[in-house]
Amino acid sequence: TTGGDSYTATYVLVDEADLIPNFNQLMRAVRPTIDAGGKLFLVSRADKSRPESEFKKIYKAAKEGRNNWAHIFLPWYVRPERTPEWYEKLKQDALMQTGSLDLVWEQYPGSDREALAPNSSDKRLAIEWLEKCYEEREPLSAVLLQQEKAPGIPGLRVYRLPVPGRKYVAGVDPAEGSPQSDDSAAVWLDCTTGEEVAMLAGKFEPSTMAGYVDRISTWFNSAAILVERQNHGHAVLLWLRDNSKRRRLLGEDGKEGWLSNSRGKALMYDSIADALRDGQTVIHSYKCYSQLNSIEGSTLRAPEGMNDDCSDAYAIAVLARNQPTGVFVG
């Protein structure tokens, strides 16, 4: 892990990068060697025992355009001797031995989603349901959004433009907004199709998040809003009550917002499980897909070290789509 110190390289290849125990230490030594204009390649299969490894974080950020890396995925079938019949036998053997495809997807994934997915044991949402409802889609360009007079908000990803006369809903999971806190997240769904049309995630303080949600919801034909009602959600609801004309949806207790206590959390994930199983929603953002894929069945939370802000926002948006009642303050 210190082999790169004091050298200048034109080409560095790190093989099986996700399996290196001291990957960060190696990167600190090797990365400076190519700063004079060299190239650095990280190649690896995925280590599913570490779903939030630094290697995976680099790949995911590259996929989302959040760093300067280029991402490349090679599926199992790039080797011509691997036939579909061979692969089906491999899957059947794995299911018979372990009851899951985790080992197959670790060694022979067919997509980067399979490679990056955490082990499926104790997951609330079946991977087959998620795969059925996930359609990876690039966000609309900034030029097009500007032409359509979309709100210019950092972190906003729009996948469909508002359709005149169509109804939309927003699910909101607010956070503190500090650099150390989780992201504040919101997801907008088309009420007719269940399709994800936009998502917002970032380190936004509650009042800032509320203002952003109001602007985006106004653009989406005055979309109704369902806010997670705990901690910072109270501040978001207060801002909306005082400053917004958008409809605020009620929880099962008849109060504004969704109380995500143990019962509320269970209902959230029961609702999205039903929607996924029955194909009643379409996920476009990889961030929402990957977080939903990580939710543990025993805790209804992401594993330690991982985030669930976008998955909670998506689940709340599904609840909002199923609950037309709400209040309106003029």
Side-chain angles (χ1 to χ4, degrees):
T1 55
T2 59
D5 284 340
S6 302
Y7 286 86
T8 299
T10 56
Y11 180 99
V12 175
L13 173 66
V14 180
D15 194 23
E16 297 295 14
D18 206 25
L19 309 184
I20 298 173
N22 299 317
F23 177 78
N24 286 343
Q25 182 181 347
L26 180 141
M27 288 293 285
R28 285 196 299 270
V30 170
R31 185 71 184 263
T33 69
I34 53 95
D35 282 346
K39 296 181 179 180
L40 174 58
F41 293 83
L42 305 177
V43 182
S44 190
R45 72 164 175 84
D47 178 1
K48 285 194 172 293
S49 68
R50 299 188 302 145
E52 284 296 290
S53 65
E54 287 303 313
F55 173 79
K56 294 186 186 71
K57 288 179 180 178
I58 291 173
Y59 183 92
K60 291 176 183 178
K63 186 179 176 73
E64 296 171 4
R66 294 187 287 108
N67 60 23
N68 293 323
W69 290 84
H71 69 285
I72 299 171
F73 172 76
L74 301 177
W76 62 267
Y77 47 82
V78 295
R79 291 184 60 168
E81 70 272 19
R82 293 176 179 169
T83 64
E85 294 76 18
W86 168 85
Y87 191 62
E88 282 303 314
K89 185 178 185 304
L90 197 70
K91 291 197 296 183
Q92 291 304 318
D93 289 345
L95 289 170
M96 187 178 301
Q97 293 174 19
T98 67
S100 78
L101 295 175
D102 291 337
L103 292 178
V104 175
W105 287 357
E106 184 170 60
Q107 298 288 346
Y108 308 103
S111 68
D112 57 359
R113 301 192 301 275
E114 293 177 359
L116 297 171
N119 286 324
S120 61
S121 58
D122 190 36
K123 295 303 177 207
R124 175 62 184 89
L125 304 172
I127 185 65
E128 305 85 51
W129 303 346
L130 282 161
E131 284 291 306
K132 179 174 64 176
C133 294
Y134 179 57
E135 296 179 8
E136 189 172 359
R137 184 182 178 90
E138 287 295 317
L140 300 179
S141 69
V143 174
L144 177 59
L145 293 179
Q146 188 174 22
Q147 292 173 350
E148 296 294 331
K149 299 182 180 179
I153 292 173
L156 174 62
R157 290 173 170 253
V158 177
Y159 300 100
R160 298 285 190 191
L161 295 174
V163 177
R166 192 71 65 85
K167 291 183 178 180
Y168 299 91
V169 290
V172 186
D173 178 19
E176 181 181 356
S178 70
Q180 294 76 31
S181 73
D182 290 344
D183 282 349
S184 294
V187 170
W188 284 261
L189 298 181
D190 184 320
C191 287
T192 301
T193 64
E195 181 180 18
E196 178 189 11
V197 294
M199 67 88 67
L200 174 68
K203 307 291 185 187
F204 308 126
E205 295 183 357
S207 59
T208 301
M209 183 64 176
Y212 287 166
V213 169
D214 174 65
R215 289 170 58 192
I216 300 166
S217 296
T218 299
W219 186 58
F220 274 104
N221 301 345
S222 299
I225 303 168
L226 183 60
V227 180
E228 184 181 36
R229 188 197 341 131
Q230 68 172 25
N231 300 327
H232 308 290
H234 292 284
V236 170
L237 286 167
L238 179 62
W239 191 98
L240 292 173
R241 195 177 303 131
D242 291 343
N243 300 280
S244 175
K245 294 183 178 181
R246 304 288 68 80
R247 191 157 53 107
R248 302 184 302 279
L249 295 176
L250 309 178
E252 61 160 350
D253 57 2
K255 299 179 181 179
E256 292 178 37
W258 187 265
L259 180 61
S260 59
N261 53 14
S262 57
R263 172 178 167 78
K265 198 87 166 178
L267 290 173
M268 281 168 52
Y269 281 95
D270 285 350
S271 180
I272 194 168
D274 290 342
L276 292 169
R277 185 189 61 242
D278 298 336
Q280 295 178 352
T281 188
V282 182
I283 306 168
H284 289 311
S285 59
Y286 179 75
K287 195 168 188 177
C288 288
Y289 166 86
S290 60
Q291 288 192 16
L292 286 165
N293 195 21
S294 73
I295 298 300
E296 296 179 336
S298 56
T299 64
L300 297 181
R301 298 184 183 279
E304 186 175 356
M306 298 179 66
N307 296 323
D308 56 14
D309 41 90
C310 290
S311 59
D312 280 1
Y314 205 107
I316 293 170
V318 170
L319 283 170
R321 184 188 176 215
N322 295 336
Q323 288 185 275
T325 59
V327 295
F328 178 84
V329 180

